[in-house]
Amino acid sequence: MIGLAYCDKAGRIFYDKKVEPLADGGLVREVARAELVPAPPGTVPMVLPARHPRVTKGVERRRQTLAVMLPSGYTRLLLPAYNRDAGAPALPLFGYTFACAIDETLHVAAMRTDEGEDWQPRTFARGELEALVERRVSAGTGNRVLQQLATCSLEYSCFTAQNVFLERGEAALPVSPACNARCVGCISEQEPETGVPSPQLRIAEEMAARDLARIAVHHLERVPNGIVSFGQGCEGEPLLRSIAIARAITMIRASRSNGVINLNTNGSLPSALRRCIDAGLQAVRVSLNSFRPRVYAAYYRPIGYALDDVFASIRMACDAGLRVSLNLLTHPGITDDREELEAMREFLGSVSVDMIQTRTLNIDPEWYFDTVGRPTEPTGMREAISEMRASGVRVGNFTHTH
Ligand code: SF4
């Protein structure tokens, strides 16, 4: 029996096996057992303020909605279903996932979609990371990128920033303070009137090609199959600085031939991407929330470009032989809407991308549905993932070295 998991106002978690919860998959409905797994290690429970769980018998007004944040390596399948009190505050930018109780055990609506040792929750001995960062920054002789990565490592717990100091895996190379999109759920810059804080502070300066190259070379000297990635959560759009990126790539390849040079981007400027490819870029990960122009524009609010430009960048990278991943910002109800699957199938049928990374979109679900519209025919996220696999694309959550 699928039972209700809920919270009291203090955030304590309770189970009520006599009450069957509903979930939100774009349409509010009952949950299928096959959509549930026991809560994996690293799952973070959250109480949703002034929101009350919807159940098969109605709404539990005296109870608070419980949601969870999934650890990396999992794709969210359903949202919590709730009624919100008038005047309730907007929810901060997290990936709210449905949770319930089965046999007194917390279960979540999720699917394991990737394995990655380097992405498991990290713990450090007291002062261990701080000491590593301090030693490197003080030796870095004023490298502005290193100073930024120190903040990202210690304040935002960014894995790719920490990897620079841990000298392993994928290393971050943030480069651009500006962006040519205004994503509703931007994680580095939120408009004050939204009342929602951005989890990270957008970098304030244009990083120098020399500083970027020095960090990349240091990393590739120590991590033979390492990845160095331009385009991080703390910055705007890296393609706006393609000249600096091309210069940095030339400097990196002048002294290191190993590893992979990757770019995470919104893919908005094909000609700028061309410049990076000609300089030696080897892999690209393009972010999008939808394969439908209306849904894309409503969320990204692009300035001076459109989804067709993003598609043109993806095609160019595929034709140039790069390793191409799509960073698909997934949201139950939108990613699996029948219209969306048709648009996705059509696009994937016209290019050969290597991988789709199913990235849980971190946003207040009602805010997102208000922005892009509720779906007409959601088919279920498991259906969407099988559609991706059926098109011959690898589905995962991380940029792998192989
Ligand atoms: S593309 Fe990235 S930096 Fe630009 S608005 Fe969107 S989330 Fe923010």
Side-chain angles (χ1 to χ4, degrees):
M1 163 85 180
I2 298 174
L4 177 66
Y6 65 96
C7 293
D8 63 9
K9 284 208 171 101
R12 287 181 298 241
I13 300 176
F14 300 89
Y15 301 152
D16 185 341
K17 60 180 179 201
K18 297 191 299 307
V19 174
E20 185 177 352
L22 296 175
D24 192 341
L27 298 177
V28 173
R29 61 172 173 84
E30 291 175 12
V31 182
R33 182 65 186 81
E35 294 174 304
L36 300 169
V37 294
T43 296
V44 179
M46 299 178 279
V47 57
L48 305 190
R51 290 160 173 85
H52 311 285
R54 292 184 62 174
V55 299
T56 50
K57 294 198 190 95
V59 179
E60 297 282 325
R61 294 221 159 276
R62 281 176 297 123
R63 295 172 166 174
Q64 306 296 317
T65 298
L66 168 75
V68 300
M69 199 160 51
L70 297 171
S72 49
Y74 288 82
T75 298
R76 169 182 59 179
L77 303 180
L78 287 166
L79 310 158
Y82 50 78
N83 270 24
R84 175 168 50 88
D85 290 344
L91 296 172
L93 300 177
F94 290 121
Y96 302 96
T97 303
F98 171 85
C100 62
I102 297 178
D103 302 332
E104 298 300 309
T105 306
L106 188 69
H107 281 62
V108 297
M111 194 172 180
R112 177 104 208 201
T113 36
D114 210 335
E115 312 266 348
E117 192 42 47
D118 208 25
W119 297 91
Q120 297 315 307
R122 292 178 178 174
T123 53
F124 298 98
R126 177 185 287 278
E128 179 192 357
L129 183 60
E130 289 77 0
L132 265 178
V133 168
E134 175 49 36
R135 196 166 49 241
R136 182 73 183 282
V137 170
S138 46
T141 56
N143 186 315
R144 303 291 294 155
V145 181
L146 263 185
Q147 287 156 10
Q148 174 64 43
L149 293 170
T151 303
C152 297
S153 299
L154 301 174
E155 291 179 31
Y156 311 143
S157 302
C158 169
F159 277 25
T160 50
Q162 290 174 349
N163 285 350
V164 169
F165 302 102
L166 297 169
E167 297 174 351
R168 61 190 240 193
E170 180 181 357
L173 297 174
V175 58
S176 174
C179 191
N180 58 355
R182 291 178 312 111
C183 296
V184 173
C186 179
I187 59 172
S188 64
E189 198 164 82
Q190 277 290 315
E191 282 136 18
E193 60 273 16
T194 68
V196 171
S198 63
Q200 303 173 18
L201 207 57
R202 177 82 61 83
I203 63 174
E205 63 182 285
E206 296 191 338
M207 297 300 181
R210 186 168 301 287
D211 284 357
L212 294 157
R214 282 201 179 120
I215 291 171
V217 167
H218 179 105
H219 194 71
L220 296 178
E221 281 168 349
R222 290 158 182 74
V223 190
N225 62 351
I227 303 175
V228 293
S229 289
F230 300 96
Q232 298 295 323
C234 59
E235 64 176 300
E237 174 46 42
L239 284 177
L240 295 174
R241 303 232 32 246
S242 61
I243 294 172
I245 292 174
R247 248 195 239 126
I249 293 174
T250 305
M251 287 187 236
I252 297 166
R253 286 306 178 215
S255 70
R256 302 298 314 174
S257 60
N258 64 302
V260 171
I261 302 179
N262 175 56
L263 171 71
N264 301 318
T265 172
N266 65 16
S268 52
L269 305 168
S271 58
L273 179 60
R274 178 84 261 169
R275 180 178 290 122
C276 301
I277 293 172
D278 293 346
L281 187 69
Q282 296 156 285
V284 67
R285 188 185 71 176
V286 178
S287 292
L288 71 172
N289 70 317
S290 174
F291 295 88
R292 293 176 286 174
R294 178 189 65 75
V295 177
Y296 182 91
Y299 178 74
Y300 271 78
R301 301 185 295 184
I303 304 164
Y305 78 93
L307 185 57
D308 277 349
D309 298 299
V310 177
F311 287 169
S313 289
I314 297 167
R315 284 199 179 85
M316 173 198 294
C318 290
D319 296 346
L322 272 69
R323 191 188 312 150
V324 179
S325 299
L326 302 185
N327 187 37
L328 186 60
L329 309 178
T330 62
H331 196 279
I334 303 301
T335 308
D336 57 308
D337 193 12
R338 181 131 339 259
E339 241 185 63
E340 180 69 26
L341 296 185
E342 278 151 20
M344 179 180 76
R345 197 181 306 125
E346 190 191 332
F347 179 71
L348 293 179
S350 71
V351 288
S352 59
V353 301
D354 300 281
M355 184 183 201
I356 293 181
Q357 296 183 13
T358 50
R359 179 92 39 222
T360 291
L361 179 57
N362 289 349
I363 194 169
D364 179 327
E366 289 185 285
W367 187 15
Y368 191 56
F369 285 133
D370 289 350
T371 301
V372 300
R374 278 217 176 236
T376 48
E377 207 186 334
T379 61
M381 285 295 292
R382 292 182 305 152
E383 173 65 21
I385 291 167
S386 357
E387 276 273 349
M388 295 172 200
R389 290 181 171 142
S391 64
V393 176
R394 177 182 177 183
V395 173
N397 301 99
F398 318 122
T399 301
H400 292 264
T401 54
H402 53 279

